[in-house]
Amino acid sequence: MADSPILEVRNLAKTYRVRHSIGRVETVRAVQEVSFVIERGRTLGIVGESGSGKSTVARCLLGLTPPTAGQVLLNGVQLGGLKARQMRPHRRLVQMVFQMPQASFDPTRTVRSSVAQPLRRLRPDMRRPQQDERLRYVLAAVSLGEELWDRKPAALSGGQLQRAAIARALAPDPELVVLDEPTASLDLSVRGEILTLLQQLQEEFRVAFVFISHDLEAVRVCAQEIVVMYLGQVVERGTVEQVFESPAHPYTQALIAASKFTADSFSLGPRGETDPAAGCRLMPRCPLAESACSAEQDLVPSGVGGRMVRCWKAVRGPVRGP
């Protein structure tokens, strides 16, 4: 078990049917054929624009949204087919840190009470003194001073509340924590502190992270592997070094170029309608698009080291902007 991955996602898909006011029903492919593996004690980064499917994947991992197809396996157990009672032993193993800490806390409860809540509910195997000891331990581990424990959320800064949110996620001793834009709402100076804290906590608690973010530099600091998503599909998957030092897919190149704010950035066309009936979903925006891109694109190996890319041009050789 020690050498096995904590989580495997196999061909995950999520489709929604949206009914418009005029009675027309539209099928939205929010996630399509997403696969990855998360090793114990490591961090997988998921990046992409808004609407790329990152949050939908996160909700499927947490069991908040049932997938339309595919499998989510936690310690080799497929979660999709489990009933509520069967899911109970697995609940504590996957926890979440939300983007907006101010909105994720009950304003009427103290920080200590909120952090203790999942511990009380998910660890009935622990006696109350053990739970109290665990509570003190995780609050101290996130460097949240004791003078703040009995205050209400409104009395804490954004950074302090995010530390409390991280403590709350770690309290029941999970094996995987999903971090949904954990630094997006924080001041620049506080972001660095939280990123450093996450790295320290991962080493101390031996917990795996799924780090979802628009902030590519934050992901680069924390993650070992990267999944790049566009319109529900994985367009590139590889190690941090592969993806950031030699991005293969045109979309990955555009994301990294935009994050650097350089004058010669690799740029895509306007967003507009970017979900063609067939072929590459990036085709309407990609300056490198050719007629061959209208054929269905598969995620295939590119180069060495396990990198996967959904672009026939990138598989044949490096792609460069015009």
Side-chain angles (χ1 to χ4, degrees), residues 4 57 65-66 109 121 167 179 197 200 202 247 250 290 301 313:
S4 63
V57 170
T65 297
R109 304 178 66 137
R121 186 178 71 253
L179 305 160
L197 174 65
Q200 295 170 347
Q202 183 168 55
E290 299 180 12
K313 299 185 77 172

Side-chain angles (χ1 to χ4, degrees), residues 284-303:
R285 301 178 68 191
C286 183
L288 306 178
E290 299 180 12
S291 58
C293 300
S294 60
E296 193 66 33
Q297 305 291 306
D298 295 322
L299 193 66
V300 296
S302 175

Side-chain angles (χ1 to χ4, degrees), residues 218-244:
V219 175
R220 186 174 190 172
V221 168
C222 290
Q224 291 84 43
E225 295 182 87
I226 302 288
V227 166
V228 183
M229 293 190 65
Y230 181 71
L231 286 180
Q233 292 183 327
V234 176
V235 297
E236 186 163 354
R237 187 179 73 219
T239 66
V240 168
E241 291 77 15
Q242 289 171 335
V243 172
F244 280 96

